[in-house]
Amino acid sequence: MAKLNWGMIGGGKGSQIGPAHRLGAGLDGQFDFVAGALDHRADEGRAFAESLGIAPERAYGDWKEMLAGEKDRADRVDLVTVATPNATHFEITKAFLEHGFHVLCEKPMTMTVEEGEEIVKLARASGRICAVNYGYTGYSLVRHMRAMVARGDLGRIRLVKAEFAHGHHADAADAENPRVRWRYDPSQAGVSAQFADCGIHAMHLASFVAGQEVERLSADTVSCIESRVLEDDAMVNFRMSGGTVGRLWTSSIAIGRQHGLTLQVFGEKGGLRWAQEQPNQLYWMPLGQRLQVIERGEGNLSPEADRSSRVTVGHAEGMPLAFANIYSDLAEAIRAGKDGRAMDPAANLYPRAEDGLRSMAAVFAVAESGKQMGAWMDARPPMFR
């Protein structure tokens, strides 16, 4: 089977997210890394791309040069990953979709709800894939949680509780560090800091597992370090489309927490608990029975979990392998489209542009609710109301 061609924009030398994408895209041998515009500094970007094995003529200085160079090639890239600063996501994603490319965009997909609706409409009209990298949905046991909920193991879902809390921005003396400061500056980050950066991952994970969308929310947002304009801590209550109650806490000042992404799901017939820092174990408590520990890599889990587990039981799988599952989903979707067939249902799990749009609507709803002392807000984008 011939490999698909893959290109990347952003994620250059020293990038936090770039290596995870390159590992994830290459892990299963589905994609060849053939093109890139990896840095806003053209010469550095070209040099780094060539050091990774990209041919000089496809090591581009910026994304516009890459679009011009790729759009008419017979062997052009099948998938473009956008891993640039947040404010550039909309423009780049829109341009590549308009020229018929499939796109995987880092979150946030856009900076406004209106831009998000435009991307959703464009992706639907073009028939191109626009995926958003909510990469934590790639973890095998997260997918098994979703499957357990969907097949009714927990009965009706009553409550989901999500957290994404760390303490890496807790030092007030670090407030002027440029690597930290921009996150709390509305001119660079938009209307929200911690919720838009981390909390939205937790909210999307809750929707992904519960199979429901967030419809209304109420938020208490605060800047615990007073010099910050945007929030560094938020508590969000929400209600979902199937009647499930949601609770979410996100923080960047929680000293002692490292990453802190966890999800608990409570239904009529049992409860589930998963933590991203211990991703190989899923805790399952059926009503009236003993606590069970489900291990990643065990035999005969759900098709979704079996398909997304590569390493034998007892060995750790981490974030790059979760990213790899997103890329594997996308490879299956692209191949199915080329072949004119239905894709494997167990692979049809990659987050869509619609997820990116819903997330942006939630960001604005949280920001407005925080200003209004927790007033309940409609969290749906206008086109989905």
Side-chain angles (χ1 to χ4, degrees):
M1 182 185 299
K3 291 185 180 182
L4 299 169
N5 289 331
W6 175 59
M8 189 175 192
I9 303 168
K13 191 173 184 178
S15 164
Q16 179 182 8
I17 205 68
H21 277 286
R22 288 188 287 274
L23 288 167
L27 187 66
D28 294 319
Q30 301 263 29
F31 291 97
D32 266 337
F33 188 21
V34 299
L38 305 183
D39 200 300
H40 68 280
R41 299 162 297 182
D43 290 342
E44 285 84 349
R46 291 190 185 100
F48 186 55
E50 290 185 41
S51 77
L52 296 174
I54 292 175
E57 68 272 16
R58 301 181 84 173
Y60 300 103
D62 61 36
W63 70 266
K64 292 180 180 179
E65 183 181 305
M66 179 169 164
L67 178 59
E70 291 293 315
K71 64 184 179 64
D72 295 323
R73 292 184 66 107
D75 62 345
R76 74 183 199 163
V77 293
D78 295 289
L79 175 69
V80 176
T81 292
V82 179
T84 54
N86 295 354
T88 66
H89 290 178
F90 169 70
E91 180 184 20
I92 300 172
T93 297
K94 180 174 183 285
F96 276 84
L97 286 173
E98 286 175 336
H99 284 84
F101 291 90
H102 300 299
V103 177
L104 170 61
C105 183
E106 265 298 328
K107 50 74 61 178
M109 183 178 74
T110 62
M111 295 296 286
T112 70
V113 176
E114 293 76 17
E115 290 174 347
E117 292 194 338
E118 186 173 347
I119 292 296
V120 168
K121 291 174 183 177
L122 177 57
R124 290 177 174 180
S126 68
R128 300 293 89 184
I129 294 168
C130 181
V132 183
N133 191 42
Y134 289 106
Y136 302 111
T137 63
Y139 279 96
S140 177
L141 289 181
V142 167
R143 295 181 168 206
H144 188 60
M145 292 175 80
R146 176 187 169 99
M148 290 180 70
V149 168
R151 70 194 186 195
D153 292 7
L154 283 74
R156 182 177 64 86
I157 305 303
R158 294 168 171 164
L159 173 70
V160 294
K161 182 176 183 289
E163 295 184 0
F164 199 154
H166 65 83
H168 299 302
H169 300 163
D171 188 352
D174 206 31
E176 293 306 309
N177 181 337
R179 294 176 64 88
V180 175
R181 184 180 60 214
W182 75 268
R183 298 175 182 274
Y184 303 93
D185 178 358
S187 68
Q188 299 182 71
V191 299
S192 171
Q194 179 58 21
F195 182 78
D197 186 29
C198 294
I200 200 62
H201 275 296
M203 182 170 281
H204 179 265
L205 203 65
S207 288
F208 179 80
V209 170
Q212 302 177 38
E213 303 299 342
V214 176
E215 294 190 334
R216 296 180 296 122
L217 61 78
S218 167
D220 179 16
T221 60
V222 62
S223 299
C224 293
I225 294 180
E226 296 176 357
S227 62
R228 291 174 175 163
V229 177
L230 298 176
E231 87 287 349
D232 52 24
D233 189 276
M235 183 69 75
V236 183
N237 293 312
F238 56 92
R239 301 292 186 270
M240 306 186 82
S241 54
T244 294
V245 173
R247 315 288 191 201
L248 187 154
W249 172 50
T250 186
S251 182
S252 65
I253 52 85
I255 297 173
R257 297 286 292 262
Q258 291 300 323
H259 194 256
L261 177 60
T262 64
L263 183 68
Q264 298 179 78
V265 183
F266 304 102
E268 296 172 313
K269 299 191 292 185
L272 292 167
R273 174 167 54 90
W274 179 84
Q276 188 263 338
E277 292 179 43
Q278 294 83 38
N280 272 15
Q281 288 79 39
L282 173 62
Y283 295 89
W284 162 232
M285 183 71 178
L287 180 66
Q289 299 182 39
R290 294 181 181 274
L291 178 67
Q292 301 175 22
V293 181
I294 298 171
E295 291 281 348
R296 186 215 51 78
E298 289 180 351
N300 300 314
L301 296 181
S302 61
E304 295 86 342
D306 291 342
R307 184 183 185 277
S308 57
S309 184
R310 298 171 182 78
V311 182
T312 54
V313 65
H315 296 81
E317 287 189 6
M319 187 182 77
L321 275 75
F323 278 34
N325 285 328
I326 302 293
Y327 279 99
S328 179
D329 292 348
L330 290 169
E332 167 62 11
I334 293 169
R335 293 187 193 281
K338 288 185 173 187
D339 297 342
R341 59 173 174 81
M343 67 180 297
D344 180 352
N348 194 12
L349 297 175
Y350 63 89
R352 268 74 165 175
E354 288 82 355
D355 297 292
L357 169 59
R358 290 183 186 278
S359 294
M360 187 48 55
V363 166
F364 276 85
V366 164
E368 186 60 29
S369 179
K371 290 178 183 177
Q372 297 191 31
M373 303 299 291
W376 282 87
M377 298 288 165
D378 194 328
R380 299 169 298 174
M383 71 180 293
F384 293 157
R385 294 179 185 176

